[in-house]
Amino acid sequence: RLHDGDESQIPVVEYIGAEPVPMSLSESVDVCESETERVFVLPTQAERLPELDAWLQMLAGPHKSWMHALVTASAIVQDAKYADNYIRKLLRARPGRTATVHLESGLPSLLTIVDADGVLELTINCDADRAVRLTIYHKSLYGVVVPFSLEFTYNPSQNLTPIHGSKQRDNELVRQLCIDTWVANADDLTPFVDVVDPNTVVKSSYTITEEHSRGFCESVGNQAWQYTFARDGILQAPMEYAHIVFTRDMLRLLQSSVFGFGQVNGVHMYNDVTLEDGARMFQVDDELAVTATMNGLTNLRPGKKIKLNWIVERDGKKVATIESAFLVRSHYIDIGNAFERYPQQLITIMLPSAADIAALELN
């Protein structure tokens, strides 16, 4: 009726929604355009960076496309819920960045972003099946690049929310990123061994070296003389090593199948350190043995809570016992898998005289 009954006259659009708003960037952004790509070089001064909306509109281009939907949607559909569009924050203008939009038939096919040093930070592309892949290139402590990819579906028939993802799939990918980073941060080829039984006891060893002790003290600003100058040929090391030696095992437990998902939502709650009476200070060349266990995995109102316990020994004698707890917001453990242990702690009370004993008996 509107087109004289001629279906061929019905206009075709990418998706129903607001048309792209013409934007212009300030002269501080260098722009180079051709038929196959658009290159944007951002200024190195933060105060000269463009506003978020103007910057994203320029990346998306003057036509509706998957890129335009990706950077303008206010939310991403994740299963049965909506999540804020965090991709907008990832693509925000940052000093020294260079963004290159590769074009096919005038429409974006690939976006690459490199930092001020020319190192690739992230890529976004969309294939013929409308599958959108975002890849972030994360660098480990040893400079090993660990790629982290998230997958979405571009669904133009959903006008208000054309970008769809999967929370379950994202959780699995985040956990795998943490595992890959754990391996990449190792100073040897230590493979990741999953923990599938909450009763598993994790054991490891650590030798305190002078190089690491001095480096740790320098990084935290500890200038105590006993950690800098050797006395009688002995260089002491901070007692914080009781916690340092457990870090890798702690991260392994936090990425295990028993723990589940929610690695990026974790909040460290506390460390409870108990040093053994009479234990001498740590020294360079000390060999420490660590035994770690899970003491609890329970649900609280804001999320799940995990309690980790480890014992540090030297020369077969206990030096310290530490309990650490983490809260993982918005993630919960199946009630059938929840547990909590209450280890019995031996407490010794010294009564030096008969009068003290008598006073106790009277009470």
Side-chain angles (χ1 to χ4, degrees):
R1 187 174 62 181
L2 297 177
H3 301 282
D4 299 326
D6 187 357
E7 185 176 343
S8 63
Q9 296 184 21
I10 300 176
V12 177
V13 296
E14 180 68 18
Y15 61 88
I16 299 175
E19 294 295 326
V21 179
M23 291 284 182
S24 61
L25 297 177
S26 63
E27 296 180 355
S28 61
V29 181
D30 293 331
V31 183
C32 180
E33 296 188 70
S34 68
E35 292 184 357
T36 58
E37 65 180 20
R38 296 194 301 265
V39 182
F40 305 90
V41 181
L42 292 168
T44 56
Q45 299 84 10
E47 61 274 9
R48 300 181 64 195
L49 293 175
E51 295 294 329
L52 178 62
D53 288 333
W55 168 244
L56 295 180
Q57 287 283 358
M58 287 300 295
L59 287 181
H63 306 290
K64 286 182 179 179
S65 65
W66 65 270
M67 176 74 77
H68 184 267
L70 188 67
V71 301
T72 59
S74 60
I76 296 175
V77 179
Q78 289 187 326
D79 302 325
K81 296 182 179 180
Y82 291 96
D84 290 339
N85 188 355
Y86 49 83
I87 297 178
R88 289 171 54 86
K89 295 182 180 179
L90 286 174
L91 298 180
R92 69 188 184 277
R94 303 175 75 175
R97 265 185 168 181
T98 298
T100 303
V101 181
H102 300 266
L103 304 174
E104 290 184 3
S105 302
L107 296 176
S109 61
L110 170 67
L111 169 66
T112 62
I113 294 182
V114 299
D115 63 15
D117 298 323
V119 178
L120 183 63
E121 284 190 331
L122 62 86
T123 61
I124 305 178
N125 70 287
C126 182
D127 61 22
D129 296 326
R130 294 177 174 172
V132 179
R133 179 183 292 270
L134 162 68
T135 303
I136 301 172
Y137 297 90
H138 172 71
K139 185 179 291 186
S140 74
L141 296 176
Y142 288 89
V144 178
V145 176
V146 181
F148 169 54
S149 296
L150 292 175
E151 298 179 358
F152 308 91
T153 301
Y154 169 49
N155 191 349
S157 63
Q158 303 288 328
N159 303 325
L160 296 178
T161 53
I163 305 300
H164 293 233
S166 169
K167 185 65 175 177
Q168 176 71 16
R169 182 177 59 200
D170 289 353
N171 286 334
E172 294 172 353
L173 292 171
V174 167
R175 177 171 174 258
Q176 187 60 49
L177 169 69
C178 294
I179 292 174
D180 293 342
T181 304
W182 186 93
V183 174
N185 282 338
D187 53 6
D188 51 30
L189 297 178
T190 304
F192 180 84
V193 180
D194 196 8
V195 178
V196 296
D197 183 357
N199 298 312
T200 299
V201 177
V202 179
K203 295 185 177 182
S204 62
S205 60
Y206 186 91
T207 301
I208 301 176
T209 64
E210 180 177 348
E211 179 184 6
H212 190 268
S213 178
R214 291 184 183 276
F216 171 75
C217 291
E218 181 179 353
S219 65
V220 299
N222 189 338
Q223 301 178 5
W225 66 268
Q226 62 264 38
Y227 308 138
T228 307
F229 303 99
R231 186 174 183 180
D232 298 329
I234 298 175
L235 182 64
Q236 294 185 354
M239 294 305 287
E240 283 86 351
Y241 267 95
H243 187 274
I244 294 173
V245 295
F246 177 65
T247 301
R248 278 183 57 76
D249 290 334
M250 176 182 67
L251 293 176
R252 177 185 165 195
L253 293 173
L254 292 177
Q255 294 153 21
S256 65
S257 296
V258 175
F259 177 79
F261 302 132
Q263 281 73 19
V264 296
N265 296 79
V267 178
H268 183 231
M269 299 179 68
Y270 64 83
N271 284 330
D272 185 2
V273 182
T274 304
L275 299 178
E276 293 298 305
D277 292 336
R280 67 168 173 81
M281 295 285 292
F282 288 137
Q283 299 173 355
V284 170
D285 296 330
D286 275 351
E287 294 186 2
L288 307 179
V290 183
T291 303
T293 56
M294 292 186 185
N295 269 8
L297 187 58
T298 56
N299 287 325
L300 302 178
R301 185 171 183 178
K304 61 183 177 182
K305 174 184 176 182
I306 184 172
K307 292 196 299 184
L308 306 176
N309 178 270
W310 66 96
I311 297 173
V312 181
E313 295 181 332
R314 176 182 51 204
D315 300 329
K317 297 181 179 179
K318 185 189 297 186
V319 178
T321 302
I322 304 177
E323 181 179 87
S324 210
F326 293 83
L327 174 69
V328 184
R329 297 167 297 184
S330 303
H331 289 263
Y332 300 89
I333 191 74
D334 290 341
I335 192 64
N337 296 328
F339 68 95
E340 190 163 15
R341 298 188 180 94
Y342 298 92
Q344 298 296 323
Q345 183 177 4
L346 179 63
I347 300 176
T348 303
I349 301 176
M350 299 297 296
L351 300 175
S353 67
D356 294 324
I357 297 175
L360 184 62
E361 289 176 343
L362 289 177
N363 292 331

